[in-house]
Amino acid sequence: MTIPAFNPIQNQQVNIEKGPLVLKQGQVFHGSVKQLYPGQLAEIQIGEHRLVAKLETPLKVGDSHFFQVVNISPEAQLKVVSGPVSGASQLNIQQLIESLNLPKSLEMQQIVSLFLKEQLSISKEQMLQAENWLKNLPEGASKKEALLALQKLAQLKIPFSEETFKALLFGSQTTGISRNLEQLINLLEQNNQISPQVKLNLLNQLQSIANPFEAETAGVIISRAIQTLLSGAQEAEKQQALQMLKEANILPRDTNLNSWLNTSFNRISSNNETTGHVIQQLRSGSSIIDTIKWINNESTLSNEQKNTLIQMINSFNGSKSQPVELLAKQLHVQLLKAYSDQSVSQLFSKGHFTAKEQLLTLLKPNIHLENADMELQSIKRLLNASEHQGTQRLVAEGNALIQSAMNSQGILKGLQSTLESLGLSYEAAMNKQVDIEKITQSLKPQLLSLLQDTSTPTELKNVAETLLARLNGMQLLSGENGHQHQIVMQIPLQFLGKQVDATVQWNGRMKDDGKIDSDFARILFYLNMETLKETVIDMQVQNRIVTIHVY
């Protein structure tokens, strides 16, 4: 079997769109003399670009030198800062360092060597900045990674700053993001200097990242409790289910087994788009035909459940012995049963709103569907903190059910939830101005606020900067060049009780309609797993033929 050469993400070149050559004052670059003209003008080739510039000293055609830009207006004027050179020899490195009067440190020699080898354009001031960065590397970063980050910084032609350097440095790493998140959690829990609300918001968001299935688990627990209350279970089991719903602030504390259904019915949310609104409309004399129409259009119910509900409504004769209030109560009970059954059997169903969210609107007043997912997350945290033995047992059962039902749709849901909580699409979402409140609760904007707060301690600020650099690095390393695209994502995953650091790099092309071409792609999965440790899965797709190598 032939194993193809494997090129780690740190060494891979990002797609760089070719553009016009832009000179800057003080910039130093490697070039060769192609043609000489009168008036000390010469045609200089720099990589794939050529320019005509005025030289301070006459040169020989064919020789290569290092030039420094001394003037760009009204014409480009260059100063030769080295004799003829060939490659990144030690002699040429020393010659350039002396010519530019640079420090002779090991770090500077490494920077100049990289600059010569890769023929990068960089100024003396930038070399001095880079030397300082290499001498003061953050914990967990190596000089090799730092030099690669410097190379990408110059190639991508993005602002040469410490923030962008750290973004590329940490954005290229394939492990450690889970450790950074744990450090942030520990420091936040110990800290009493920042605002309590800022601290709570950050810890809640970090909890969402560490437990991407909180809403699903809470939905299962609530659904199982409703199933128990509506079944012929023993009174002790019903009492435990009722106690759990009261601890979750879904039902009032004084609710008992005889009153819970009436209490729930009388507290139904009347917000538009919710199931509660439909029941309230029915109580107020809305047409039964409208109710049946709503049932037929309700995507979270199965066809069998819809038929059962419609048959129940059609059997209603509207007599004094069967007032509309009674029909509304019967519909309420049947919908509680239907949604709880769907929440358990269809854990990771698709759709904007799911059965667990509709169920919550039938149980808790004034819940908007768009906020139901966040409310379920809060309920899960309340239940986790409970000391009641029955509630703890229901939580354990819910966690076990989620793990046993995990499938590809569940993993996709976990990935989407984690990426959303990290705030990777924060800037793009801000431009679209969609759900601003939810966007600002993601991790990235909260880290920005934490760093801008003067009361943030240095140690906490350093960890926040590292995490922010990782998030920014993913965006800087993701790019496009024509139809070719590259996407890089670091994702801390929690699946089946295991914690996995995953980095995904996708390379492929876009079709004319702007969609990903699934016939041709390469996807690299970098996984740091509990038992197998560092593992790489290289998946290549050519004409829909998939080849997979595991390293």
Side-chain angles (χ1 to χ4, degrees):
M1 178 180 178
T2 303
I3 302 294
F6 176 68
N7 192 14
I9 190 173
Q10 293 92 333
N11 300 333
Q12 293 186 22
Q13 297 293 327
V14 294
N15 291 321
I16 302 167
E17 186 145 357
K18 299 282 189 296
L21 179 66
V22 179
L23 296 180
K24 295 180 181 179
Q25 195 88 14
Q27 190 176 34
V28 179
F29 58 84
H30 175 270
S32 57
V33 181
K34 292 299 179 184
Q35 187 70 43
L36 296 174
Y37 300 103
Q40 287 187 273
L41 294 176
E43 183 181 4
I44 310 294
Q45 178 156 350
I46 308 165
E48 297 181 3
H49 299 279
R50 292 195 181 197
L51 66 90
V52 174
K54 188 171 184 178
L55 302 176
E56 289 187 343
T57 55
L59 297 176
K60 179 181 174 184
V61 173
D63 282 352
S64 294
H65 299 265
F66 289 102
F67 301 91
Q68 186 172 31
V69 180
V70 294
N71 204 355
I72 54 176
S73 181
E75 61 184 3
Q77 189 171 353
L78 306 178
K79 178 174 73 173
V80 179
V81 293
S82 75
V85 295
S86 57
S89 68
Q90 190 62 36
L91 180 62
N92 290 333
I93 292 170
Q94 294 299 333
Q95 184 183 8
L96 185 59
I97 287 175
E98 290 175 6
S99 299
L100 294 174
N101 195 26
L102 294 167
K104 297 180 180 180
S105 65
L106 174 61
E107 290 79 11
M108 184 59 75
Q109 291 181 48
Q110 291 172 321
I111 293 165
V112 173
S113 175
L114 173 72
F115 162 66
L116 298 182
K117 181 182 175 183
E118 302 297 333
Q119 297 188 14
L120 303 174
S121 298
I122 189 171
S123 69
K124 176 181 177 180
E125 289 72 21
Q126 289 172 333
M127 290 184 188
L128 292 170
Q129 277 182 287
E131 181 200 28
N132 183 51
W133 297 340
L134 256 64
K135 284 183 174 180
N136 300 281
L137 284 177
E139 184 183 353
S142 67
K143 279 191 176 179
K144 182 180 178 181
E145 292 171 332
L147 289 167
L148 285 169
L150 286 172
Q151 179 181 335
K152 289 174 184 174
L153 197 61
Q155 289 173 333
L156 289 167
K157 297 181 175 65
I158 57 178
F160 203 90
S161 67
E162 188 172 6
E163 288 76 16
T164 53
F165 166 69
K166 286 183 177 179
L168 290 173
L169 176 63
F170 289 111
S172 295
Q173 293 182 347
T174 57
T175 59
I177 190 167
S178 291
R179 185 176 65 251
N180 294 146
L181 290 167
E182 287 175 5
Q183 288 175 332
L184 184 61
I185 290 171
N186 292 335
L187 289 172
L188 282 170
E189 288 176 342
Q190 297 166 13
N191 186 275
N192 294 316
Q193 294 175 250
I194 61 174
S195 159
Q197 190 59 52
V198 170
K199 180 177 177 177
L200 179 63
N201 291 342
L202 266 167
L203 286 173
N204 282 341
Q205 200 57 42
L206 291 165
Q207 183 73 15
S208 297
I209 295 168
N211 299 284
F213 300 109
E214 279 186 318
E216 283 72 22
T217 307
V220 166
I221 296 168
I222 294 167
S223 298
R224 292 297 292 269
I226 296 300
Q227 287 176 332
T228 300
L229 289 170
L230 292 175
S231 70
Q234 294 180 359
E235 185 173 337
E237 292 181 24
K238 290 187 176 184
Q239 286 289 2
Q240 287 184 348
L242 183 64
Q243 175 64 26
M244 186 279 295
L245 293 173
K246 290 193 285 187
E247 286 194 82
N249 290 331
I250 291 173
L251 292 174
R253 293 286 176 174
D254 58 354
T255 308
N256 56 47
L257 289 178
N258 295 323
S259 66
W260 80 270
L261 260 177
N262 280 333
T263 300
S264 172
F265 181 72
N266 292 326
R267 284 158 45 96
I268 287 176
S269 173
S270 59
N271 292 321
N272 288 337
E273 297 185 5
T274 66
T275 306
H277 177 71
V278 175
I279 295 176
Q280 293 285 31
Q281 289 288 93
L282 185 61
R283 292 177 74 181
S284 303
S286 176
S287 169
I288 288 179
I289 295 174
D290 290 340
T291 306
I292 292 175
K293 183 180 178 180
W294 174 86
I295 291 171
N296 281 321
N297 294 329
E298 174 54 20
S299 60
T300 56
L301 297 174
S302 69
N303 289 331
E304 184 180 351
Q305 289 171 332
K306 289 178 183 180
N307 290 334
T308 300
L309 291 170
I310 291 170
Q311 286 174 15
M312 181 196 72
I313 291 173
N314 285 334
S315 66
F316 173 73
N317 59 28
S319 65
K320 290 184 179 180
S321 61
Q322 282 190 305
V324 175
E325 182 83 0
L326 178 61
L327 177 61
K329 285 185 176 182
Q330 289 174 347
L331 182 61
H332 173 238
V333 172
Q334 290 302 316
L335 284 171
L336 283 175
K337 186 178 186 306
Y339 283 135
S340 58
D341 289 346
Q342 284 293 90
S343 296
V344 173
S345 62
Q346 303 291 330
L347 278 175
F348 304 109
S349 58
K350 296 180 181 179
H352 191 52
F353 298 123
T354 60
K356 68 179 184 299
E357 293 161 343
Q358 291 284 18
L359 177 64
L360 188 63
T361 66
L362 282 178
L363 293 167
K364 195 167 183 179
N366 303 318
I367 293 290
H368 291 267
L369 273 173
E370 57 269 22
N371 299 327
D373 211 53
M374 293 173 59
E375 184 66 27
L376 286 166
Q377 292 175 1
S378 299
I379 288 171
K380 176 61 164 56
R381 290 164 199 165
L382 275 175
L383 297 178
N384 284 341
S386 171
E387 297 180 358
H388 192 270
Q389 190 174 358
T391 299
Q392 289 177 352
R393 182 179 60 79
L394 288 170
V395 170
E397 287 178 1
N399 289 330
L401 186 57
I402 289 289
Q403 290 189 17
S404 64
M406 187 63 63
N407 55 18
S408 59
Q409 191 62 38
I411 292 172
L412 175 61
K413 173 68 173 64
L415 285 170
Q416 291 173 333
S417 174
T418 302
L419 292 172
E420 189 177 275
S421 297
L422 287 170
L424 291 182
S425 57
Y426 166 62
E427 289 85 359
M430 287 294 286
N431 286 334
K432 294 177 182 177
Q433 295 184 339
V434 292
D435 203 352
I436 300 297
E437 183 180 353
K438 189 173 182 180
I439 294 166
T440 53
Q441 288 176 343
S442 62
L443 182 62
K444 187 173 183 179
Q446 290 198 60
L447 289 175
L448 288 167
S449 298
L450 189 67
L451 292 172
Q452 292 167 1
D453 189 342
T454 54
S455 66
T456 305
T458 303
E459 190 178 6
L460 180 58
K461 188 171 285 190
N462 289 340
V463 175
E465 282 178 345
T466 300
L467 265 173
L468 186 61
R470 281 185 179 274
L471 300 179
N472 287 333
M474 297 183 217
Q475 293 174 301
L476 291 176
L477 290 168
S478 300
E480 59 182 279
N481 185 15
H483 287 292
Q484 291 296 318
H485 281 61
Q486 172 170 287
I487 298 171
V488 177
M489 292 182 293
Q490 297 177 25
I491 314 168
L493 300 177
Q494 292 272 4
F495 287 128
L496 304 175
K498 305 292 183 182
Q499 180 174 292
V500 178
D501 261 359
T503 297
V504 180
Q505 180 189 358
W506 174 83
N507 291 278
R509 66 187 190 186
M510 308 297 280
K511 294 187 288 188
D512 292 336
D513 61 2
K515 295 181 180 179
I516 289 174
D517 188 346
S518 57
D519 291 351
F520 300 90
R522 185 185 187 192
I523 306 175
L524 293 169
F525 300 90
Y526 298 80
L527 306 173
N528 190 21
M529 298 188 288
E530 193 172 293
T531 304
L532 292 179
K533 304 303 179 186
E534 291 188 49
T535 304
V536 180
I537 300 169
D538 183 3
M539 187 180 90
Q540 299 187 53
V541 184
Q542 294 292 323
N543 285 319
R544 289 191 172 270
I545 298 173
V546 180
T547 306
I548 294 178
H549 292 96
V550 180
Y551 300 85

PDB file of all heavy atoms in Angstrom, residues 384-412:
ATOM      1  N   ASN A 384     -29.194  20.340  37.127  1.00  0.00           N
ATOM      2  CA  ASN A 384     -27.871  19.809  37.491  1.00  0.00           C
ATOM      3  C   ASN A 384     -27.512  20.175  38.926  1.00  0.00           C
ATOM      4  O   ASN A 384     -26.834  19.411  39.624  1.00  0.00           O
ATOM      5  CB  ASN A 384     -26.795  20.362  36.551  1.00  0.00           C
ATOM      6  CG  ASN A 384     -26.809  19.698  35.188  1.00  0.00           C
ATOM      7  OD1 ASN A 384     -27.362  18.609  35.032  1.00  0.00           O
ATOM      8  ND2 ASN A 384     -26.201  20.327  34.205  1.00  0.00           N
ATOM      9  N   ALA A 385     -27.956  21.347  39.371  1.00  0.00           N
ATOM     10  CA  ALA A 385     -27.613  21.830  40.719  1.00  0.00           C
ATOM     11  C   ALA A 385     -28.546  21.274  41.795  1.00  0.00           C
ATOM     12  O   ALA A 385     -28.314  21.492  42.984  1.00  0.00           O
ATOM     13  CB  ALA A 385     -27.654  23.359  40.734  1.00  0.00           C
ATOM     14  N   SER A 386     -29.582  20.563  41.386  1.00  0.00           N
ATOM     15  CA  SER A 386     -30.560  20.042  42.353  1.00  0.00           C
ATOM     16  C   SER A 386     -29.950  18.975  43.264  1.00  0.00           C
ATOM     17  O   SER A 386     -29.131  18.155  42.829  1.00  0.00           O
ATOM     18  CB  SER A 386     -31.760  19.443  41.617  1.00  0.00           C
ATOM     19  OG  SER A 386     -32.611  18.763  42.515  1.00  0.00           O
ATOM     20  N   GLU A 387     -30.344  18.999  44.517  1.00  0.00           N
ATOM     21  CA  GLU A 387     -29.897  17.974  45.477  1.00  0.00           C
ATOM     22  C   GLU A 387     -30.971  16.914  45.707  1.00  0.00           C
ATOM     23  O   GLU A 387     -30.774  15.986  46.481  1.00  0.00           O
ATOM     24  CB  GLU A 387     -29.518  18.644  46.805  1.00  0.00           C
ATOM     25  CG  GLU A 387     -28.341  19.608  46.681  1.00  0.00           C
ATOM     26  CD  GLU A 387     -27.991  20.257  48.007  1.00  0.00           C
ATOM     27  OE1 GLU A 387     -28.696  19.976  49.018  1.00  0.00           O
ATOM     28  OE2 GLU A 387     -27.023  21.035  48.042  1.00  0.00           O
ATOM     29  N   HIS A 388     -32.097  17.076  45.028  1.00  0.00           N
ATOM     30  CA  HIS A 388     -33.189  16.124  45.185  1.00  0.00           C
ATOM     31  C   HIS A 388     -32.854  14.823  44.457  1.00  0.00           C
ATOM     32  O   HIS A 388     -32.515  14.822  43.274  1.00  0.00           O
ATOM     33  CB  HIS A 388     -34.485  16.727  44.631  1.00  0.00           C
ATOM     34  CG  HIS A 388     -35.706  15.957  45.000  1.00  0.00           C
ATOM     35  ND1 HIS A 388     -36.196  14.929  44.226  1.00  0.00           N
ATOM     36  CD2 HIS A 388     -36.544  16.045  46.083  1.00  0.00           C
ATOM     37  CE1 HIS A 388     -37.284  14.422  44.791  1.00  0.00           C
ATOM     38  NE2 HIS A 388     -37.520  15.088  45.922  1.00  0.00           N
ATOM     39  N   GLN A 389     -32.938  13.714  45.168  1.00  0.00           N
ATOM     40  CA  GLN A 389     -32.516  12.426  44.621  1.00  0.00           C
ATOM     41  C   GLN A 389     -33.323  12.040  43.373  1.00  0.00           C
ATOM     42  O   GLN A 389     -32.772  11.549  42.384  1.00  0.00           O
ATOM     43  CB  GLN A 389     -32.647  11.332  45.691  1.00  0.00           C
ATOM     44  CG  GLN A 389     -32.015  10.012  45.283  1.00  0.00           C
ATOM     45  CD  GLN A 389     -32.023   8.997  46.426  1.00  0.00           C
ATOM     46  OE1 GLN A 389     -32.467   9.295  47.526  1.00  0.00           O
ATOM     47  NE2 GLN A 389     -31.521   7.814  46.148  1.00  0.00           N
ATOM     48  N   GLY A 390     -34.640  12.259  43.415  1.00  0.00           N
ATOM     49  CA  GLY A 390     -35.484  11.923  42.268  1.00  0.00           C
ATOM     50  C   GLY A 390     -35.116  12.731  41.040  1.00  0.00           C
ATOM     51  O   GLY A 390     -35.084  12.209  39.915  1.00  0.00           O
ATOM     52  N   THR A 391     -34.819  14.026  41.237  1.00  0.00           N
ATOM     53  CA  THR A 391     -34.428  14.884  40.125  1.00  0.00           C
ATOM     54  C   THR A 391     -33.084  14.447  39.555  1.00  0.00           C
ATOM     55  O   THR A 391     -32.907  14.407  38.334  1.00  0.00           O
ATOM     56  CB  THR A 391     -34.351  16.356  40.588  1.00  0.00           C
ATOM     57  OG1 THR A 391     -35.641  16.769  41.047  1.00  0.00           O
ATOM     58  CG2 THR A 391     -33.903  17.269  39.457  1.00  0.00           C
ATOM     59  N   GLN A 392     -32.153  14.098  40.433  1.00  0.00           N
ATOM     60  CA  GLN A 392     -30.849  13.627  39.967  1.00  0.00           C
ATOM     61  C   GLN A 392     -30.988  12.365  39.121  1.00  0.00           C
ATOM     62  O   GLN A 392     -30.293  12.192  38.114  1.00  0.00           O
ATOM     63  CB  GLN A 392     -29.935  13.370  41.162  1.00  0.00           C
ATOM     64  CG  GLN A 392     -29.475  14.634  41.873  1.00  0.00           C
ATOM     65  CD  GLN A 392     -28.629  14.335  43.098  1.00  0.00           C
ATOM     66  OE1 GLN A 392     -28.490  13.182  43.523  1.00  0.00           O
ATOM     67  NE2 GLN A 392     -28.039  15.375  43.672  1.00  0.00           N
ATOM     68  N   ARG A 393     -31.921  11.490  39.521  1.00  0.00           N
ATOM     69  CA  ARG A 393     -32.132  10.248  38.765  1.00  0.00           C
ATOM     70  C   ARG A 393     -32.707  10.562  37.380  1.00  0.00           C
ATOM     71  O   ARG A 393     -32.271   9.988  36.372  1.00  0.00           O
ATOM     72  CB  ARG A 393     -33.093   9.329  39.528  1.00  0.00           C
ATOM     73  CG  ARG A 393     -33.338   7.983  38.839  1.00  0.00           C
ATOM     74  CD  ARG A 393     -34.283   7.115  39.656  1.00  0.00           C
ATOM     75  NE  ARG A 393     -35.591   7.744  39.837  1.00  0.00           N
ATOM     76  CZ  ARG A 393     -36.534   7.752  38.887  1.00  0.00           C
ATOM     77  NH1 ARG A 393     -36.318   7.176  37.703  1.00  0.00           N
ATOM     78  NH2 ARG A 393     -37.704   8.331  39.116  1.00  0.00           N
ATOM     79  N   LEU A 394     -33.646  11.498  37.307  1.00  0.00           N
ATOM     80  CA  LEU A 394     -34.227  11.874  36.025  1.00  0.00           C
ATOM     81  C   LEU A 394     -33.190  12.526  35.110  1.00  0.00           C
ATOM     82  O   LEU A 394     -33.178  12.301  33.895  1.00  0.00           O
ATOM     83  CB  LEU A 394     -35.402  12.834  36.236  1.00  0.00           C
ATOM     84  CG  LEU A 394     -36.678  12.216  36.828  1.00  0.00           C
ATOM     85  CD1 LEU A 394     -37.667  13.309  37.201  1.00  0.00           C
ATOM     86  CD2 LEU A 394     -37.311  11.240  35.845  1.00  0.00           C
ATOM     87  N   VAL A 395     -32.300  13.336  35.697  1.00  0.00           N
ATOM     88  CA  VAL A 395     -31.222  13.962  34.919  1.00  0.00           C
ATOM     89  C   VAL A 395     -30.272  12.897  34.367  1.00  0.00           C
ATOM     90  O   VAL A 395     -29.877  12.946  33.190  1.00  0.00           O
ATOM     91  CB  VAL A 395     -30.451  14.993  35.773  1.00  0.00           C
ATOM     92  CG1 VAL A 395     -29.188  15.454  35.057  1.00  0.00           C
ATOM     93  CG2 VAL A 395     -31.331  16.189  36.099  1.00  0.00           C
ATOM     94  N   ALA A 396     -29.909  11.925  35.199  1.00  0.00           N
ATOM     95  CA  ALA A 396     -29.021  10.843  34.759  1.00  0.00           C
ATOM     96  C   ALA A 396     -29.665  10.035  33.628  1.00  0.00           C
ATOM     97  O   ALA A 396     -28.989   9.666  32.659  1.00  0.00           O
ATOM     98  CB  ALA A 396     -28.690   9.934  35.938  1.00  0.00           C
ATOM     99  N   GLU A 397     -30.962   9.785  33.746  1.00  0.00           N
ATOM    100  CA  GLU A 397     -31.670   9.049  32.691  1.00  0.00           C
ATOM    101  C   GLU A 397     -31.687   9.851  31.383  1.00  0.00           C
ATOM    102  O   GLU A 397     -31.530   9.290  30.297  1.00  0.00           O
ATOM    103  CB  GLU A 397     -33.102   8.746  33.138  1.00  0.00           C
ATOM    104  CG  GLU A 397     -33.211   7.669  34.206  1.00  0.00           C
ATOM    105  CD  GLU A 397     -34.649   7.442  34.654  1.00  0.00           C
ATOM    106  OE1 GLU A 397     -35.554   8.121  34.108  1.00  0.00           O
ATOM    107  OE2 GLU A 397     -34.871   6.595  35.546  1.00  0.00           O
ATOM    108  N   GLY A 398     -31.891  11.167  31.508  1.00  0.00           N
ATOM    109  CA  GLY A 398     -31.893  12.027  30.318  1.00  0.00           C
ATOM    110  C   GLY A 398     -30.546  12.037  29.621  1.00  0.00           C
ATOM    111  O   GLY A 398     -30.467  11.941  28.391  1.00  0.00           O
ATOM    112  N   ASN A 399     -29.462  12.145  30.406  1.00  0.00           N
ATOM    113  CA  ASN A 399     -28.107  12.125  29.835  1.00  0.00           C
ATOM    114  C   ASN A 399     -27.832  10.803  29.120  1.00  0.00           C
ATOM    115  O   ASN A 399     -27.252  10.774  28.029  1.00  0.00           O
ATOM    116  CB  ASN A 399     -27.063  12.346  30.930  1.00  0.00           C
ATOM    117  CG  ASN A 399     -27.061  13.773  31.447  1.00  0.00           C
ATOM    118  OD1 ASN A 399     -27.377  14.702  30.714  1.00  0.00           O
ATOM    119  ND2 ASN A 399     -26.695  13.963  32.704  1.00  0.00           N
ATOM    120  N   ALA A 400     -28.251   9.701  29.749  1.00  0.00           N
ATOM    121  CA  ALA A 400     -28.035   8.367  29.168  1.00  0.00           C
ATOM    122  C   ALA A 400     -28.810   8.209  27.859  1.00  0.00           C
ATOM    123  O   ALA A 400     -28.304   7.631  26.891  1.00  0.00           O
ATOM    124  CB  ALA A 400     -28.440   7.285  30.164  1.00  0.00           C
ATOM    125  N   LEU A 401     -30.029   8.748  27.826  1.00  0.00           N
ATOM    126  CA  LEU A 401     -30.854   8.628  26.622  1.00  0.00           C
ATOM    127  C   LEU A 401     -30.241   9.418  25.463  1.00  0.00           C
ATOM    128  O   LEU A 401     -30.224   8.946  24.317  1.00  0.00           O
ATOM    129  CB  LEU A 401     -32.268   9.135  26.912  1.00  0.00           C
ATOM    130  CG  LEU A 401     -33.306   8.938  25.799  1.00  0.00           C
ATOM    131  CD1 LEU A 401     -33.424   7.472  25.419  1.00  0.00           C
ATOM    132  CD2 LEU A 401     -34.658   9.477  26.224  1.00  0.00           C
ATOM    133  N   ILE A 402     -29.704  10.588  25.759  1.00  0.00           N
ATOM    134  CA  ILE A 402     -29.055  11.400  24.721  1.00  0.00           C
ATOM    135  C   ILE A 402     -27.854  10.647  24.145  1.00  0.00           C
ATOM    136  O   ILE A 402     -27.658  10.588  22.924  1.00  0.00           O
ATOM    137  CB  ILE A 402     -28.594  12.761  25.290  1.00  0.00           C
ATOM    138  CG1 ILE A 402     -29.798  13.662  25.587  1.00  0.00           C
ATOM    139  CG2 ILE A 402     -27.636  13.467  24.332  1.00  0.00           C
ATOM    140  CD1 ILE A 402     -30.498  14.194  24.358  1.00  0.00           C
ATOM    141  N   GLN A 403     -27.046  10.060  25.003  1.00  0.00           N
ATOM    142  CA  GLN A 403     -25.861   9.334  24.541  1.00  0.00           C
ATOM    143  C   GLN A 403     -26.238   8.120  23.707  1.00  0.00           C
ATOM    144  O   GLN A 403     -25.626   7.842  22.670  1.00  0.00           O
ATOM    145  CB  GLN A 403     -25.002   8.910  25.735  1.00  0.00           C
ATOM    146  CG  GLN A 403     -24.326  10.074  26.431  1.00  0.00           C
ATOM    147  CD  GLN A 403     -23.307   9.632  27.464  1.00  0.00           C
ATOM    148  OE1 GLN A 403     -22.874   8.487  27.458  1.00  0.00           O
ATOM    149  NE2 GLN A 403     -22.922  10.531  28.347  1.00  0.00           N
ATOM    150  N   SER A 404     -27.253   7.381  24.133  1.00  0.00           N
ATOM    151  CA  SER A 404     -27.642   6.164  23.413  1.00  0.00           C
ATOM    152  C   SER A 404     -28.290   6.487  22.067  1.00  0.00           C
ATOM    153  O   SER A 404     -28.261   5.666  21.149  1.00  0.00           O
ATOM    154  CB  SER A 404     -28.606   5.329  24.263  1.00  0.00           C
ATOM    155  OG  SER A 404     -29.820   6.035  24.493  1.00  0.00           O
ATOM    156  N   ALA A 405     -28.879   7.682  21.947  1.00  0.00           N
ATOM    157  CA  ALA A 405     -29.570   8.048  20.706  1.00  0.00           C
ATOM    158  C   ALA A 405     -28.678   8.840  19.749  1.00  0.00           C
ATOM    159  O   ALA A 405     -29.145   9.268  18.688  1.00  0.00           O
ATOM    160  CB  ALA A 405     -30.815   8.870  21.035  1.00  0.00           C
ATOM    161  N   MET A 406     -27.398   9.037  20.094  1.00  0.00           N
ATOM    162  CA  MET A 406     -26.513   9.857  19.276  1.00  0.00           C
ATOM    163  C   MET A 406     -26.367   9.272  17.876  1.00  0.00           C
ATOM    164  O   MET A 406     -26.082   8.093  17.698  1.00  0.00           O
ATOM    165  CB  MET A 406     -25.129   9.969  19.941  1.00  0.00           C
ATOM    166  CG  MET A 406     -24.191  10.949  19.247  1.00  0.00           C
ATOM    167  SD  MET A 406     -24.818  12.640  19.282  1.00  0.00           S
ATOM    168  CE  MET A 406     -24.819  12.944  21.042  1.00  0.00           C
ATOM    169  N   ASN A 407     -26.582  10.106  16.861  1.00  0.00           N
ATOM    170  CA  ASN A 407     -26.423   9.697  15.469  1.00  0.00           C
ATOM    171  C   ASN A 407     -25.768  10.832  14.690  1.00  0.00           C
ATOM    172  O   ASN A 407     -25.327  11.824  15.275  1.00  0.00           O
ATOM    173  CB  ASN A 407     -27.791   9.337  14.872  1.00  0.00           C
ATOM    174  CG  ASN A 407     -28.807  10.477  15.014  1.00  0.00           C
ATOM    175  OD1 ASN A 407     -28.440  11.629  15.242  1.00  0.00           O
ATOM    176  ND2 ASN A 407     -30.078  10.160  14.868  1.00  0.00           N
ATOM    177  N   SER A 408     -25.700  10.688  13.371  1.00  0.00           N
ATOM    178  CA  SER A 408     -25.034  11.708  12.556  1.00  0.00           C
ATOM    179  C   SER A 408     -25.726  13.065  12.682  1.00  0.00           C
ATOM    180  O   SER A 408     -25.065  14.107  12.721  1.00  0.00           O
ATOM    181  CB  SER A 408     -25.000  11.268  11.091  1.00  0.00           C
ATOM    182  OG  SER A 408     -26.319  11.070  10.604  1.00  0.00           O
ATOM    183  N   GLN A 409     -27.050  13.047  12.779  1.00  0.00           N
ATOM    184  CA  GLN A 409     -27.787  14.296  12.933  1.00  0.00           C
ATOM    185  C   GLN A 409     -27.478  14.951  14.280  1.00  0.00           C
ATOM    186  O   GLN A 409     -27.376  16.177  14.382  1.00  0.00           O
ATOM    187  CB  GLN A 409     -29.295  14.033  12.805  1.00  0.00           C
ATOM    188  CG  GLN A 409     -30.156  15.276  12.684  1.00  0.00           C
ATOM    189  CD  GLN A 409     -29.841  16.093  11.442  1.00  0.00           C
ATOM    190  OE1 GLN A 409     -29.562  15.534  10.392  1.00  0.00           O
ATOM    191  NE2 GLN A 409     -29.860  17.408  11.566  1.00  0.00           N
ATOM    192  N   GLY A 410     -27.294  14.113  15.316  1.00  0.00           N
ATOM    193  CA  GLY A 410     -26.937  14.628  16.629  1.00  0.00           C
ATOM    194  C   GLY A 410     -25.550  15.248  16.637  1.00  0.00           C
ATOM    195  O   GLY A 410     -25.326  16.312  17.235  1.00  0.00           O
ATOM    196  N   ILE A 411     -24.610  14.584  15.971  1.00  0.00           N
ATOM    197  CA  ILE A 411     -23.246  15.125  15.897  1.00  0.00           C
ATOM    198  C   ILE A 411     -23.242  16.445  15.143  1.00  0.00           C
ATOM    199  O   ILE A 411     -22.577  17.409  15.546  1.00  0.00           O
ATOM    200  CB  ILE A 411     -22.306  14.096  15.231  1.00  0.00           C
ATOM    201  CG1 ILE A 411     -22.139  12.884  16.156  1.00  0.00           C
ATOM    202  CG2 ILE A 411     -20.947  14.715  14.926  1.00  0.00           C
ATOM    203  CD1 ILE A 411     -21.395  11.728  15.543  1.00  0.00           C
ATOM    204  N   LEU A 412     -24.011  16.505  14.050  1.00  0.00           N
ATOM    205  CA  LEU A 412     -24.122  17.756  13.297  1.00  0.00           C
ATOM    206  C   LEU A 412     -24.700  18.858  14.174  1.00  0.00           C
ATOM    207  O   LEU A 412     -24.205  19.992  14.174  1.00  0.00           O
ATOM    208  CB  LEU A 412     -24.999  17.537  12.064  1.00  0.00           C
ATOM    209  CG  LEU A 412     -25.304  18.785  11.221  1.00  0.00           C
ATOM    210  CD1 LEU A 412     -24.023  19.388  10.669  1.00  0.00           C
ATOM    211  CD2 LEU A 412     -26.259  18.445  10.086  1.00  0.00           C
TER     212      LEU A 412
END
